């Protein structure tokens, strides 16, 4: 006697586990669960809407990791990048921080400063800065996206039109010279683009694992002058398109330490 098919909720829970285990094809998943491909697509759309699964670059399926999972990867590199970024910020400036783990580490380095205004849509940065009276913390209000804990939406875009920060620091899931920043959702790519153009100086924080990588299908064009802050010491040779506008963070340097500086137009 055949087993009854699982209900929608149970099927979607099992589908999420299957995607996490690497079963990514629509037809394969439909056969495995004994339903139509259109049912699998609806299930995946529901999981994507809840932030549990993403359609990656090239059409594959993957599960998006939480900030805690991401922060454990390349932690030393992220710390060096955050420290170097903090060294650029001057007292009294208005700073805009994107959501992300490296920008969250940057927030930690700024927390003990005095007279800074920090505007952010990232829950990680909010946690790092909320308890420090010397920081004027402005939280961009909107819808909280899981699992990366970014605040997004039309209300965020509307608020960005009213600020002109001295510096903008953007995080990255991937960075490709010809396309820009790779993002897990269209909504997030639009918010990042508005942030990029909001400030006087723009920076992208990306460790070596993000360079020339495209894990998702949505893009923020880097269509203005910006600087890349990375930990890749051989970036001139390995990634020539980035070489003209790079600041390399040294994992051993202090906040006031020197760095290799360059500029490029995008």
């Amino acid at each position: 006697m055949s087993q009854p098919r699982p209900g929608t909720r149970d099927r979607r829970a099992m589908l999420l586990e299957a995607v996490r285990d690497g079963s990514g094809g629509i037809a394969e998943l439909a056969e495995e669960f004994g339903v139509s491909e259109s049912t699998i697509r609806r299930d995946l759309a529901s999981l994507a809407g809840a932030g549990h699964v993403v359609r990656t670059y090239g059409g594959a399926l993957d599960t998006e990791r939480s900030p805690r999972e991401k922060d454990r990867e390349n932690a030393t590199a992220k710390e060096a990048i955050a420290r170097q970024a903090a060294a650029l910020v001057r007292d009294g400036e208005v700073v805009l921080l994107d959501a992300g783990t490296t920008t969250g580490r940057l927030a930690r380095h700024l927390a003990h400063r005095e007279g800074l205004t920090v505007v952010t849509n990232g829950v990680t940065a909010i946690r790092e800065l909320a308890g420090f009276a010397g920081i004027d913390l402005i939280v961009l209000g909107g819808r909280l996206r899981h699992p990366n804990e970014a605040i997004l939406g039309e209300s965020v875009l509307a608020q960005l039109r009213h600020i002109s920060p001295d510096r903008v620091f953007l995080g990255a899931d991937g960075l490709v010279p010809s396309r820009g920043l790779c993002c897990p959702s269209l909504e997030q790519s639009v918010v990042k683009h508005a942030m990029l153009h909001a400030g006087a100086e723009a920076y992208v924080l990306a460790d070596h694992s993000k360079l020339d990588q495209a894990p998702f299908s949505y893009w923020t064009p880097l269509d203005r002058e910006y600087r890349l802050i990375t930990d890749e010491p051989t970036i001139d040779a390995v990634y020539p398109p980035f070489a003209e506008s790079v600041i390399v963070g040294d994992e051993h340097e202090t906040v006031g330490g020197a760095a290799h500086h360059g500029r490029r137009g995008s």
Side-chain angles (χ1 to χ4, degrees):
M1 184 175 179
S2 62
Q3 294 290 328
R5 291 181 181 177
T8 300
R9 180 179 297 179
D10 291 338
R11 184 182 65 248
R12 288 175 179 174
M14 291 187 291
L15 178 60
L16 180 58
E17 290 301 317
V19 173
R20 284 173 173 164
D21 291 338
S23 300
I26 298 292
E28 176 187 349
L29 291 166
E31 182 177 357
E32 179 178 348
F33 289 96
V35 296
S36 67
E37 292 186 16
S38 61
T39 296
I40 291 294
R41 289 191 179 92
R42 285 195 297 272
D43 288 347
L44 292 171
S46 176
L47 291 171
H52 296 305
V53 67
V54 292
R55 179 79 68 177
T56 64
Y57 188 65
L61 297 168
D62 199 2
T63 51
E64 190 177 348
R65 294 162 297 159
S66 70
R68 183 172 298 179
E69 291 172 314
K70 290 181 178 181
D71 194 52
R72 289 196 293 263
E73 296 182 350
N74 303 307
T76 301
K78 291 177 179 180
E79 187 66 17
I81 291 167
R83 186 170 54 240
Q84 185 58 59
L88 300 172
V89 178
R90 301 185 181 96
D91 291 342
E93 288 189 336
V94 178
V95 178
L96 175 59
L97 297 185
D98 186 15
T101 56
T102 309
T103 50
R105 287 175 178 264
L106 169 56
R108 187 182 308 164
H109 281 278
L110 297 176
H112 296 279
R113 302 278 290 271
E114 294 288 336
L116 289 180
T117 297
V118 178
V119 185
T120 186
N121 73 325
V123 172
T124 303
I126 295 167
R127 290 194 187 106
E128 295 290 348
L129 297 170
F132 293 87
I135 301 294
D136 184 11
L137 178 60
I138 298 175
V139 177
L140 296 173
R143 180 181 60 83
L144 181 63
R145 181 184 184 274
H146 294 285
N148 67 342
E149 298 183 344
I151 301 170
L152 305 174
E154 288 295 329
S155 57
V156 174
L157 296 175
Q159 291 167 83
L160 286 172
R161 289 194 286 270
H162 294 278
I163 66 172
S164 181
D166 298 288
R167 301 180 197 276
V168 178
F169 294 96
L170 298 175
D173 287 284
L175 174 57
V176 176
S178 60
R179 298 298 304 271
L181 300 177
C182 191
C183 304
S185 74
L186 178 60
E187 190 176 30
Q188 195 153 359
S189 71
V190 172
V191 168
K192 281 180 181 284
H193 193 254
M195 288 183 164
L196 174 71
H197 287 271
E201 297 281 342
Y203 304 84
V204 173
L205 311 185
D207 67 70
H208 61 277
S209 69
K210 311 292 181 59
L211 303 180
D212 214 23
Q213 297 299 307
F216 304 116
S217 301
Y218 306 99
W219 298 90
T220 296
L222 291 170
D223 50 2
R224 62 156 292 181
E225 187 176 276
Y226 70 97
R227 295 187 187 183
L228 168 65
I229 307 179
T230 185
D231 65 313
E232 176 54 69
T234 61
I235 192 166
D236 291 24
V238 179
Y239 301 103
F242 299 124
E244 296 179 12
S245 177
V246 65
I247 302 171
V248 179
D250 182 348
E251 64 184 77
H252 302 296
E253 77 180 273
T254 63
V255 170
H260 167 65
H261 294 257
R263 299 183 69 87
R264 76 185 272 275
S266 56

